[in-house]
Amino acid sequence: MAEIVRGVGVSPGFATGPAYILPTAPLEPKTLGSPQEERTAYDAAVVISAAQLEEIALQLRSEGHDSEAGIMEAQSLMARDPTMLDAVHERIDAGQPAAHAVQEAAADIKAALEALEDPYLAARAADVQDVADRIIRALHPDFDAPPMRDPCILVAHDLTPSQTASIDRTLVRGFATDAGSPTSHTAILARALDIPAVVGLGDLTERVQNGQEIALDGEAGTVSLNPDGSEREAFARGAAAQAEQKRRLHRLRDEPAQTRDGHRLTLAANIGSPDDVPAALEAGAEGVGLFRTEFLFAGQDQMPGEEDQVEAYAAVLKAMPDETVVIRTLDVGGDKPLPYVPATREENPFLGLRGIRYTLANSEVMRSQLRALLRASKYGKLAIMFPMVSELEQIEQARTLVAEAQAEVGGEAEIGIMVEVPAAALIAHQLAPHVDFFSAGTNDLAQYGLAVDRVNERVAALYRPLHPAILSLLAHTVAGAHDHGRWAGICGEMGGDHLAIPLLVGLGFDELSMTPSRIPAAKERIRNLELAACRDLAQRALRCATAAEVEQIVRNRF
Ligand code: PEP
Ligand code: MG
């Protein structure tokens, strides 16, 4: 009987094969040199590592993975970072071998980042370790991982972004790591490369031997050790079914997202950079329902200039000139601080200076983004969306800034808001005349509506977007929009959720926006529904007392 190890699935898909355990380089030198010799060896290792990272970045860029290339470029900068250099030199001068000094200096930097208790910065700590490991390997030129010859599943303690980017993708069928989180760059890369991956598996590297047969389910987040014949067959069937499902769904690519009785919705994509557009188009997205621009701002060490922003926005608009592209203004704050925005420590950052509150308080940031957006608007159908709106005054102030930017650079755009604060949902009727559209951000609407921190595992069981109270806020949102002839969309994770879709159709949403990989299944789901039945379901769901009851009535009927 196979042993199952549970982690977090971060990139869906099935994979089986022998484990290939990535070894770590030794920290002890064969012979300890003088501090001067250790310094020279370290300085050379830094140059080699930075050059390797630049090379990986170039390779990724030539394959069209621009944001992943950006990660490697950032790591190359990290390798040459003066703070790191000084910290290592200091330790070497105190008599430590270079590899030790690198390891310890990196550990200090990592600890400082992790102490900030922020998932984004904690994931950056993984980058620091990645860079340190690379430098340590460069200090041991005779150390090399054994060559990978056959198809395998890569197992590592914490597979680093640069290792992920440089592995042989013809041989690696999946990743499994002891550490890691869904927001780590390894997870981001695995998804971008479409390789099944599970992270957070605890002590997997201790429990598995090189060459041992393992099976990985990137959706369920499990790794099965020594799967027997029947389990391997089940995996093979799962993989075949998945491939067949992909083919079947692909055939719907150019079909409308329309219920059986002819009610049409728009299925749009959530993207974080222009690099995500090809996947969105391939999935059949009819436009972009949410471009999270903070990723553009987070991928570097300073605010992007207006020109860089125009380029990024124009790239998306040009790729979809006939479809609406909703670009959200910077939603900094909460769980998304920017490395170069000196964050004042807030007791409750999710209730603090986040989204439109930040950009209205720092109007230069907003002005430059609005100018860039309006300048790019000539390439397509732009819609500008403001996050975290809770008051009419915020819309009025934002509109004044839009008008001022328009007076400077021209351009045109629809103007909308995210409905993600319950107050906005409850006064949707009063807000609607002042905007062109609403898009419900259900990730936050559920967080604020249920008072459940969306990134706190301890209260995760209470995070139920299908709670009748949240459905009621959504019903208010749609009614407010439609009563004033505005359209209403959804751009939270709920928009692509199999169970939620019949409810959202029944509540009357006009557009559902989701991560591109979920679009084909959402379309199939909609094409099997009937509007009248969905409406009836939604009305019944609004009268339920619990999320569990809502889930039950959806399951019973669809
Ligand atoms: C949301 O809150 O639902 C949303 C789409 O925005 P984000 O996840 O970026 O906060
Ligand atoms: Mg949000």
Side-chain angles (χ1 to χ4, degrees), residues 290 292 328 336 354 418 420 441-444 454 491-492:
L290 169 64
R292 290 182 163 97
R328 178 173 77 182
K336 291 176 288 194
R354 183 185 170 194
M418 294 201 61
E420 53 185 346
T442 49
N443 305 337
D444 278 312
R454 65 192 260 193
C491 61

Side-chain angles (χ1 to χ4, degrees), residues 270 290 292 294-295 328 331 335-336 350 354 385 387-388 418-420 439-448 454 463 490-494:
N270 288 355
L290 169 64
R292 290 182 163 97
E294 48 283 357
F295 293 122
R328 178 173 77 182
D331 184 23
D335 64 336
K336 291 176 288 194
F350 274 117
R354 183 185 170 194
M385 176 159 75
M388 284 290 291
M418 294 201 61
V419 175
E420 53 185 346
S439 184
T442 49
N443 305 337
D444 278 312
L445 196 61
Q447 155 163 275
Y448 298 125
R454 65 192 260 193
Y463 188 84
I490 288 258
C491 61
E493 288 304 298
M494 202 174 170

Side-chain angles (χ1 to χ4, degrees), residues 35 84-98 100-108:
M84 174 90 169
L85 293 181
D86 290 347
V88 175
H89 284 162
E90 226 171 76
R91 284 179 168 78
I92 291 177
D93 293 344
Q96 282 196 12
H100 260 285
V102 173
Q103 183 68 358
E104 284 190 10
D108 281 356

Side-chain angles (χ1 to χ4, degrees), residues 146-171:
M148 189 182 278
R149 297 189 203 286
D150 301 309
C152 62
I153 296 187
L154 193 59
V155 176
H157 175 65
D158 192 5
L159 190 59
T160 61
S162 73
Q163 285 166 332
T164 311
S166 50
I167 50 122
D168 183 341
R169 285 169 233 161
T170 59
L171 294 180

Side-chain angles (χ1 to χ4, degrees), residues 252-275:
L252 294 180
R253 185 178 174 275
D254 300 317
E255 299 295 325
Q258 183 169 303
T259 58
R260 277 197 249 155
D261 46 349
H263 174 68
R264 175 110 195 231
L265 282 95
T266 300
L267 288 191
N270 288 355
I271 63 169
S273 107
D275 303 345

